[in-house]
Amino acid sequence: MTPRDQHPGSAGSTASATTQPLRSDAERNRARIIAAARTVFGRDGLGASMASVAREAGVGIATMFRRFPSKEELVAAVFADRMDAYVQATAEALADPEPWRGFTGYIETVCAMQAADRGFADVLTMSLPGAEALEACRAEAYQRFLELIARAKDSGDLREDFTSRDLVLLLMANAGVLSATGDDAPDAWRRLVAWMIQSFRAPARGALPDPPEDAALYQAMRRASLGIASPETGSGR
């Protein structure tokens, strides 16, 4: 807190006059940081440092950490609306009367969301336990995706050996393609997704290796997030 000059007997009026601008300044800084983080994470992914976000926002690193003590908290604030859209996509897919179209439409929508925002591509392939609201959205979307799988299998369109873990693997693969191709081949991901959707369709054209265990896949997602969750001094991850 910055010391304030007060006239005797005027403490109440002075506090009222000075506190509100401080709240307004804090809110402006918070909004500026979130807007800057959208730009930086969307361009560079979640590996971008908090210092680079602070520079983009035009605030000091101390101000950054006052508003967002951890990177996970910043990530949660930046991607809250996108995670809401992610959940909404599952609801819209379940509302489609044709199970296969709902299933494939959802996959295409989510992969397109990854392509539109490199930072969000990272979010979808990481587990961020410190971002509770974000993880709650992920869990809700996951449960709805299980329903999409069941419907598509019941209709005979989805091969029986498909599991929810196959979506995680696809999102990881898509994130890798997006990172590698960048601006040079911006639509390359579409071919990958189209190939994968065709491979998901029944009848199966051959046996597959067993999918990774849930615990192993979670650890992979958690490990991917460790670099962005650790405290920073402004020099990178």
Side-chain angles (χ1 to χ4, degrees), residues 81-110 112-113 140-141 143-145 147-148 151:
D81 58 342
R82 287 163 175 75
M83 287 302 290
D84 287 342
Y86 179 55
V87 174
Q88 181 60 29
T90 58
E92 292 173 359
L94 286 170
D96 194 312
E98 296 188 20
W100 179 248
R101 186 173 63 194
F103 174 83
T104 59
Y106 172 70
I107 289 177
E108 290 168 347
T109 295
V110 173
M113 292 173 71
E140 183 178 353
Q143 291 302 317
R144 291 180 178 177
F145 184 61
E147 295 181 52
L148 286 172
R151 288 202 325 155

Side-chain angles (χ1 to χ4, degrees), residues 37-38 40-46 75 78-87 89 106 109-126 128 134 137-138 141 171 175 178:
R38 286 185 191 277
V40 173
F41 291 156
R43 180 186 66 224
D44 303 329
L46 298 190
V75 168
V78 169
F79 294 105
D81 58 342
R82 287 163 175 75
M83 287 302 290
D84 287 342
Y86 179 55
V87 174
Y106 172 70
T109 295
V110 173
C111 289
M113 292 173 71
Q114 283 187 299
D117 188 324
R118 184 178 169 190
F120 191 61
D122 289 346
V123 167
L124 287 181
T125 58
M126 294 179 177
L128 302 167
L134 187 150
C137 285
R138 192 197 305 276
L171 294 178
L178 291 166

Side-chain angles (χ1 to χ4, degrees), residues 23-187:
R23 286 199 297 265
S24 297
D25 287 347
E27 184 55 37
R28 281 195 296 271
N29 282 338
R30 185 178 190 278
R32 187 182 304 159
I33 290 167
I34 290 175
R38 286 185 191 277
T39 298
V40 173
F41 291 156
R43 180 186 66 224
D44 303 329
L46 298 190
S49 69
M50 292 283 269
S52 65
V53 175
R55 285 193 297 271
E56 181 77 21
V59 301
I61 195 67
T63 297
M64 165 72 75
F65 280 107
R66 278 198 299 273
R67 301 282 76 80
F68 297 99
S70 73
K71 200 171 188 180
E72 284 191 338
E73 291 179 59
L74 177 59
V75 168
V78 169
F79 294 105
D81 58 342
R82 287 163 175 75
M83 287 302 290
D84 287 342
Y86 179 55
V87 174
Q88 181 60 29
T90 58
E92 292 173 359
L94 286 170
D96 194 312
E98 296 188 20
W100 179 248
R101 186 173 63 194
F103 174 83
T104 59
Y106 172 70
I107 289 177
E108 290 168 347
T109 295
V110 173
C111 289
M113 292 173 71
Q114 283 187 299
D117 188 324
R118 184 178 169 190
F120 191 61
D122 289 346
V123 167
L124 287 181
T125 58
M126 294 179 177
S127 176
L128 302 167
E132 294 181 3
L134 187 150
E135 289 301 312
C137 285
R138 192 197 305 276
E140 183 178 353
Y142 173 75
Q143 291 302 317
R144 291 180 178 177
F145 184 61
L146 293 180
E147 295 181 52
L148 286 172
I149 293 174
R151 288 202 325 155
K153 286 184 178 181
D154 288 344
S155 69
D157 293 303
L158 179 63
R159 53 189 293 165
E160 284 297 323
D161 54 358
F162 181 91
T163 80
S164 60
R165 286 162 281 179
D166 292 315
L167 175 63
V168 178
L169 293 175
L170 171 57
L171 294 178
M172 287 179 169
N174 195 42
V177 168
L178 291 166
S179 178
T181 57
D183 295 331
D184 299 319
D187 290 329

